[in-house]
Amino acid sequence: TSFIGREREIDDAKKALGAARLLTLVGAGGIGKTRLSLQVAADVLDDYPDGVWFVELAPLTDERLVAHAVATVLGVKEQTGRQVIEALVKHVADRCLLLIFDNCEHVVQTCADLVKKLLEAGSDVRILASSREPLRISGEMTFPVPALSVPGSQEPLAVEALPQYPAVRLFVDRAAAARPTFSLTPDNARAVADICQRLDGIPLAIELAAVRVRALSVENIASRLNDRFHLLTGGNRTALPRQQTLRALIDWSYDLLSEKERILFCRLAVFAGGWTLNAAEAACAGGDIAERDVLDLLADLVDKSLVTTTVESGRYGLLETVRQYADERLTQSNEGDATRSRHVDFYLAFVEQVAPDLFGKKQATTLQHLDFERENILSAHGWCLRNKGLAEQDYRFVHAIKHYWFMRGLLNLGHRVTTEAVLNPDGPTTGIGRCKALWVAGQICSFMGRYDEAQEFLQDSLSMARCLSDTRLVAVVLTTLSLASFGKGDHAAARMFSREALQIAEQSGNKRQIASSCNGLAQLLRSEGDIERAEPLYERVVTLARELGDAELTAVGLLNLAMVAIARHSIQRASNLLREVFVIVADTASRSAVQSALDVSVGLACLRREWSRAARYWGAAQALSNTIGVQRDPADEAFVAPMVAETRRALGATRFSAAEASGRELPFQAAVADAQAWLSTM
């Protein structure tokens, strides 16, 4: 079959082979090590006057036969009274040749011993090995063979662009071989890309999937990949048995593990999206595996190409295909529940520990850490939902992680997770944990404009907080209840809730709650046109936020002050405030803050009569709002709506629509850069 892709890997491997006498291609099963070694060997054939020789070791079941396999390939005969290794050493001593040792992992120790002797025997002998783990002898250079590149899950899928990805080209080539009428079309492009993504770019898995087009549409194949080990069978009859099904491929690697390596490998299936060493030690230690054993066992699994690692970030991972296999084994072992519960304990402790750092100098780093662990947090939440005894932990999860959803513009996801927790019929109906979770649910609903839903959650939370005599919790719930009432147009109730919240906060001296209550009350005043009373409250918000080191809250206060400045036609003050906000969001990457900053930029551009710019920023703000799920509160809507209407009148419907559309197409970072460049000219 045709060799697809790997142009860079071929060039790099040839250079490495020129620099080292032993080059070992390492990688997971089915990743294409053998095909790559053969292609490299074909390219360098003329460099070895005594030949390039291929030794296939996979069929061997007795490692004592490794030397005999090499001798058979080279045509070396065993002499009476002498071991075959001696004959091999004599044969290669004065020859310039390349030996390919293919699939060494199950006879790795014997291979290492033999390779060492052969390299010592002749200075012009070079060896290219392929294995799921290195030979670990002096002078060895390892070359990790990556999976084929696949389209990103968020990338636009123009059918003409997909063939740039080798995984897609491989699927199309093998599918066309299985069904000659098959081709890549706009109708099947999404499904083909999905297959390649979900199979991790593993060539053998992609080839097994492609064969299925004889009987299934690619859409049907993609939909059945959750049961990939049943689906991906029926490979080449002449191939080795372990290359005929996806399950057999991974069985081969699993069977070569020690007992402790197998236990750890299966337990690692509880992680989603990767993990750190600390997480593995916490979730996977127990029984036969002590915490101190995890590091060495994990390193062994990395060496054996079952676990991937990124040294710079200190994270480990499993290809999804490998993870599903490990998960099946974990379920069969009856250790799944205990391991998943330890996983929940670790990530609950993690989010509760880092939650305070979402406000302050560590904010950007903390957001990044939570980005890395998002899938694990969601997985832990899912396990809490399925286990009656973990509902209280789930309440703690949604409370600790709440600010992350806001800062990353993931309110739709946050709403789903939080409401699943509070609506779980198996959860406790009272207690501080439930009270906080209900408040979080109400807060998220308020930010999304789901005010009726928010009020239901918040009224329940407020009643519970009063019964618990938790005045701090009463204050935060009142502040959010004020926002929900404000959103429904009940200004009297909103004002009452805000004032009570501020009074409680002042009595307790809680700076964060004072700032939050001041901001809520100022929003009410500004929406009523009373900017004289609103402005000092916003100033106090900024002062308190700076004292707290809370970048997000500082940005909120500055944006509100910028809106006041625009209402006063103070262009320079508004631009100064906006510049500071964009410096903050460049560091925090808070999408909700960027959306608000673009709204204010609409107002400033309108004030400067830069109508096309105002329309463009409005389009960018709307696109971001649709993405993150945040709805403007009435005060912000009252600020921006007249500006947009004035811009539409100034440009006319056609020009306004064109400028707005150009803004909607601006990527997040491009919109920020555009606004910063504009503000720098003032």
Side-chain angles (χ1 to χ4, degrees):
T1 53
S2 56
F3 186 81
I4 292 173
R6 302 291 197 197
E7 292 83 3
R8 180 176 176 178
E9 286 88 346
I10 290 172
D11 288 342
D12 290 347
K14 287 193 293 188
K15 290 176 185 175
L17 190 59
R21 293 181 59 212
L22 168 60
L23 178 66
T24 304
L25 306 183
V26 293
I31 210 74
K33 301 182 296 295
T34 298
R35 292 298 302 271
L36 179 59
S37 66
L38 287 170
Q39 197 67 28
V40 169
D43 284 2
V44 300
L45 199 60
D46 293 339
D47 296 342
Y48 297 93
D50 293 309
V52 176
W53 305 87
F54 183 80
V55 183
E56 188 172 11
L57 299 172
L60 298 186
T61 57
D62 186 343
E63 58 185 316
R64 292 173 297 181
L65 298 177
V66 170
H68 292 275
V70 178
T72 299
V73 167
L74 292 174
V76 174
K77 298 188 181 298
E78 187 174 357
Q79 298 177 3
T80 304
R82 300 177 66 183
Q83 293 185 346
V84 69
I85 293 178
E86 294 180 46
L88 284 172
V89 166
K90 181 179 179 181
H91 179 82
V92 304
D94 56 355
R95 284 179 167 84
C96 179
L97 53 78
L98 173 65
L99 277 170
I100 302 172
F101 279 57
D102 189 52
N103 288 297
C104 301
E105 57 271 358
H106 62 305
V107 287
V108 66
Q109 184 60 56
T110 302
C111 280
D113 293 339
L114 177 58
V115 165
K116 182 174 183 293
K117 289 183 173 67
L118 294 176
L119 291 174
E120 289 174 344
S123 60
D124 290 327
V125 173
R126 289 184 186 268
I127 293 176
L128 176 60
S130 71
S131 177
R132 301 190 190 188
E133 62 178 304
L135 302 188
R136 295 183 190 172
I137 63 175
S138 179
E140 178 184 33
M141 180 182 292
T142 58
F143 186 95
V145 179
L148 296 176
S149 65
V150 301
S153 58
Q154 304 302 318
E155 291 182 43
L157 290 173
V159 66
E160 60 274 9
L162 281 179
Q164 70 179 292
Y165 298 100
V168 173
R169 295 206 306 275
L170 178 65
F171 181 90
V172 172
D173 180 87
R174 302 304 193 254
R179 179 160 61 87
T181 58
F182 179 85
S183 64
L184 186 65
T185 69
D187 292 334
N188 65 24
R190 175 72 270 174
V192 170
D194 189 40
I195 290 167
C196 295
Q197 290 161 3
R198 294 178 62 193
L199 293 178
D200 308 300
I202 300 173
L204 181 60
I206 290 170
E207 291 184 333
L208 290 171
V211 169
R212 285 295 190 183
V213 301
R214 293 192 186 109
L216 298 172
S217 69
V218 287
E219 293 80 8
N220 208 337
I221 294 171
S223 70
R224 292 171 178 266
L225 284 181
N226 286 336
D227 190 18
R228 63 189 66 188
F229 296 111
H230 176 72
L231 176 70
L232 302 183
T233 60
N236 186 344
R237 285 194 181 95
T238 64
L240 292 167
R242 62 184 172 84
Q243 294 177 332
Q244 293 183 22
T245 72
L246 188 61
R247 184 183 300 280
L249 177 72
I250 307 177
D251 278 340
W252 171 263
S253 292
Y254 180 80
D255 291 342
L256 294 175
L257 300 178
S258 69
E259 185 58 31
K260 285 189 176 182
E261 287 170 345
R262 290 179 185 178
I263 293 171
L264 179 62
F265 170 65
C266 294
R267 291 177 182 177
L268 292 172
V270 299
F271 293 105
W275 66 88
T276 62
L277 175 59
N278 288 342
E281 289 172 335
C284 298
D288 293 336
I289 298 181
E291 185 175 315
R292 64 178 178 274
D293 297 332
V294 172
L295 172 58
D296 288 338
L297 291 171
L298 191 56
D300 289 341
L301 293 174
V302 170
D303 280 347
K304 294 177 180 180
S305 302
L306 282 168
V307 170
T308 62
T309 183
T310 305
V311 176
E312 293 77 14
S313 66
R315 292 186 66 77
Y316 301 85
L318 293 172
L319 295 176
E320 180 56 23
T321 296
V322 176
R323 193 200 66 79
Q324 286 194 20
Y325 177 94
D327 189 58
E328 283 189 12
R329 290 278 189 174
L330 180 65
T331 301
Q332 294 165 4
S333 72
N334 296 318
E335 287 194 333
D337 288 4
T339 308
R340 291 185 178 92
S341 293
R342 291 194 297 268
H343 177 271
V344 168
D345 291 342
F346 176 82
Y347 283 102
L348 177 57
F350 166 72
V351 295
E352 289 184 330
Q353 179 184 353
V354 303
D357 293 331
L358 284 170
F359 307 96
K361 296 179 180 179
K362 296 181 180 179
Q363 185 181 67
T365 302
T366 302
L367 284 168
Q368 187 179 54
H369 287 166
L370 288 168
D371 288 340
F372 281 137
E373 302 297 0
R374 184 193 307 160
E375 295 304 317
N376 277 310
I377 293 165
L378 293 175
S379 177
H381 159 70
W383 184 244
C384 288
L385 287 179
R386 297 193 297 274
N387 289 268
K388 292 183 179 181
L390 296 178
E392 188 67 39
Q393 283 93 321
D394 211 14
Y395 292 159
R396 290 166 57 191
F397 256 122
V398 299
H399 180 260
I401 198 69
K402 62 183 183 297
H403 292 295
Y404 173 73
W405 307 130
F406 296 128
M407 293 176 180
R408 278 296 188 243
L410 297 167
L411 283 191
N412 289 314
L413 179 57
H415 177 267
R416 177 179 68 78
V417 169
T418 305
T419 54
E420 283 176 349
V422 298
L423 297 177
N424 182 356
D426 295 322
T429 56
T430 59
I432 190 72
R434 179 164 180 79
C435 182
K436 289 180 177 180
L438 285 166
W439 165 58
V440 174
Q443 190 178 38
I444 291 176
C445 289
S446 295
F447 275 90
M448 298 178 75
R450 304 170 71 143
Y451 299 119
D452 289 332
E453 189 179 353
Q455 279 193 323
E456 289 185 28
F457 289 133
L458 293 168
Q459 290 289 4
D460 287 347
S461 181
L462 182 61
S463 298
M464 214 171 290
R466 292 195 193 279
C467 288
L468 292 166
S469 300
D470 189 325
T471 54
R472 183 181 179 280
L473 192 50
V474 168
V476 297
V477 177
L478 284 168
T479 299
T480 313
L481 197 50
S482 172
L483 174 59
S485 301
F486 186 22
K488 293 189 69 175
D490 189 347
H491 285 217
R495 188 177 291 104
M496 178 183 69
F497 291 138
S498 278
R499 285 174 175 165
E500 184 183 355
L502 182 56
Q503 182 182 8
I504 294 172
E506 295 277 20
Q507 289 171 353
S508 67
N510 186 303
K511 290 183 179 181
R512 190 176 306 284
Q513 186 51 44
I514 292 171
S516 182
S517 300
C518 283
N519 193 71
L521 189 55
Q523 291 291 81
L524 276 166
L525 293 168
R526 180 162 62 84
S527 72
E528 296 167 353
D530 192 351
I531 60 174
E532 297 299 330
R533 292 171 62 195
E535 185 172 27
L537 289 171
Y538 289 140
E539 296 280 9
R540 191 178 184 194
V541 171
V542 173
T543 299
L544 290 168
R546 293 192 197 283
E547 290 175 5
L548 291 164
D550 187 337
E552 183 83 3
L553 187 55
T554 301
V556 169
L558 292 170
L559 285 166
N560 286 326
L561 285 172
M563 284 186 263
V564 170
I566 290 170
R568 288 186 167 142
H569 290 205
S570 178
I571 291 176
Q572 195 57 55
R573 175 162 167 74
S575 64
N576 290 341
L577 291 165
L578 265 178
R579 269 196 296 272
E580 188 173 353
V581 169
F582 276 111
V583 169
I584 292 172
V585 299
D587 187 37
T588 65
S590 170
R591 292 177 179 257
S592 58
V594 170
Q595 183 215 316
S596 296
L598 289 170
D599 280 347
V600 179
S601 297
V602 171
L604 182 57
C606 186
L607 190 59
R608 289 168 55 91
R609 298 188 176 280
E610 297 184 39
W611 306 115
S612 293
R613 184 179 297 278
R616 187 165 75 254
Y617 289 159
W618 171 246
Q622 285 293 87
L624 196 52
S625 176
N626 293 337
T627 300
I628 66 180
V630 173
Q631 181 169 310
R632 298 170 187 86
D633 70 28
D636 291 347
E637 187 65 36
F639 165 81
V640 76
M643 305 286 188
V644 174
E646 186 178 1
T647 302
R648 185 179 280 108
R649 285 193 297 272
L651 289 174
T654 302
R655 290 172 60 202
F656 178 87
S657 295
E660 181 190 24
S662 70
R664 286 182 180 274
E665 293 172 1
L666 273 179
F668 167 72
Q669 295 294 353
V672 171
D674 187 290
Q676 284 183 302
W678 173 58
L679 290 167
S680 69
T681 65
M682 296 181 201

